[in-house]
Amino acid sequence: MKNYTAEDQFLANKVILVTGATDGIGKQAALTYAEYGATVILSGRNTKKLEAVYDEIESLGYPQPALVPLNLQNSSPEQYSQVADVIAAEFGQLDGLLLNASDLGLLSPIEHFDEETWYRVMQVNVNATFLLTKYCLPLIRKANKGAIAMTSSGVGRQGRAYWGAYAVSKFATEGLMQTLADELEKSDIIVNSINPGGTRTKMRANAFPGEDPNTLPTPKDLMPAYLWLMDIENNRQTGQSIDARDFL
Ligand code: NDP
């Protein structure tokens, strides 16, 4: 997909929810979707950071975004249901869902892996992805066509020593993606996973403290792949494990 170029304003009148919109890849994806015309619903756990992204989108003259503060670590199923109710009341439908937020947890051998960290990573990376998908799906069905993108990782496709809960959570994400894509095969909703590959963000710096960040692509470099995931008029790929690097 090296030659993919998104059409200007192809996301006009589309509503897209982005989790982890406060930093890194999610923040850049929110800005980029807005640049291409989308009304972006920004979700995150830090209200100050969410408001800063909101202000940036407004100051650039893009469509007015919306804010959904939500901590994926400790929100109840009722809170996810309420999020869907708020989106339904405000917008009536949802065209795209980018499930991007994740918790790295810590790198440790399975034999010594801290249980609390394991549960937290599974809650943020797997259970929250399931809950948001479950409660948002009726809203996506209301859109003419829809796209769901779940964020994976290289270690969600091939296990690697010490990546523990994070790696296992990303395998689960791939499983959720494939299961849902199969269920929706006959619908106009595409469901895919995206592996960004090593990218210059806070999470990558935490995982690889000795690495020179200047050797890595930036979130902005990855945006062709992230636009493709939401290009529901042209993209009929579903159930696919996509690599952002293939678009560089
Ligand atoms: P960042 O750490 O830059 O951003 C992570 C985002 O997730 C932030 O917005 C963060 O919020 C949010 N988040 C974390 N925990 C929670 C929570 N409990 N509730 C709500 N939001 C939360 O990471 P990246 O941009 O690098 O990662 C984006 C995605 O890409 C992740 O799914 C990651 O696993 C994946 N990925 C990244 C790679 C890389 O090299 N960067 C490689 C492979 C996959 P806050 O701003 O409050 O911290």
Side-chain angles (χ1 to χ4, degrees):
M1 291 305 295
K2 276 202 184 306
N3 297 324
Y4 171 69
T5 312
E7 254 175 60
D8 194 32
Q9 295 302 299
F10 80 101
L11 291 174
N13 303 316
K14 306 280 188 210
V15 182
I16 301 178
L17 172 62
V18 178
T19 69
T22 48
D23 218 321
I25 298 166
K27 175 181 173 184
Q28 183 59 56
L31 284 162
T32 303
Y33 292 154
E35 182 187 349
Y36 279 80
T39 298
V40 183
I41 304 173
L42 307 165
S43 183
R45 63 182 163 180
N46 180 323
T47 310
K48 272 211 166 70
K49 284 173 84 173
L50 269 180
E51 284 168 354
V53 181
Y54 182 103
D55 290 344
E56 193 171 340
I57 289 175
E58 277 227 306
S59 71
L60 289 163
Y62 302 154
Q64 188 183 22
L67 295 185
V68 171
L70 191 66
N71 190 332
L72 305 176
Q73 188 182 326
N74 51 21
S75 295
S76 64
E78 290 69 34
Q79 285 169 293
Y80 289 91
S81 172
Q82 283 161 10
V83 165
D85 290 345
V86 168
I87 297 170
E90 184 93 357
F91 301 107
Q93 67 179 58
L94 195 59
D95 300 276
L97 177 58
L98 176 64
L99 296 148
N100 160 82
S102 273
D103 190 325
L104 176 67
L106 48 80
L107 301 187
S108 161
I110 297 286
E111 191 177 0
H112 303 297
F113 210 94
D114 173 65
E115 285 91 353
E116 286 306 314
T117 306
W118 185 282
Y119 299 145
R120 192 189 77 223
V121 170
M122 290 300 166
Q123 189 62 28
V124 173
N125 299 4
V126 183
N127 297 341
T129 298
F130 155 66
L131 288 163
L132 263 176
T133 302
K134 171 181 163 148
Y135 286 107
C136 288
L137 198 48
L139 288 168
I140 300 175
R141 285 190 191 281
K142 286 196 179 147
N144 192 19
K145 291 175 177 167
I148 300 174
M150 301 184 183
T151 309
S152 186
S153 164
V155 296
R157 296 174 184 171
Q158 174 64 53
R160 199 182 306 153
Y162 316 129
W163 283 76
Y166 180 81
V168 174
S169 76
K170 295 298 188 179
F171 269 90
T173 301
E174 295 281 354
L176 178 58
M177 177 279 287
Q178 289 180 16
T179 304
L180 183 63
D182 201 37
E183 289 174 12
L184 297 177
E185 197 191 20
K186 294 202 162 52
S187 76
D188 273 330
I189 303 171
I190 58 168
V191 188
N192 295 294
S193 74
I194 177 90
N195 169 23
T199 310
R200 203 182 306 170
T201 67
K202 158 169 75 82
M203 183 185 287
R204 177 76 185 188
N206 286 337
F208 295 89
E211 185 177 58
D212 175 2
N214 293 319
T215 59
L216 298 169
T218 64
K220 199 163 189 171
D221 294 330
L222 307 184
M223 290 303 115
Y226 280 77
L227 288 166
W228 171 246
L229 291 170
M230 294 295 151
D231 193 349
I232 31 204
E233 295 305 327
N234 297 306
N235 180 359
R236 300 316 303 154
Q237 271 190 307
T238 191
Q240 301 301 307
S241 298
I242 291 171
D243 281 295
R245 288 290 166 91
D246 291 343
F247 290 72
L248 291 182

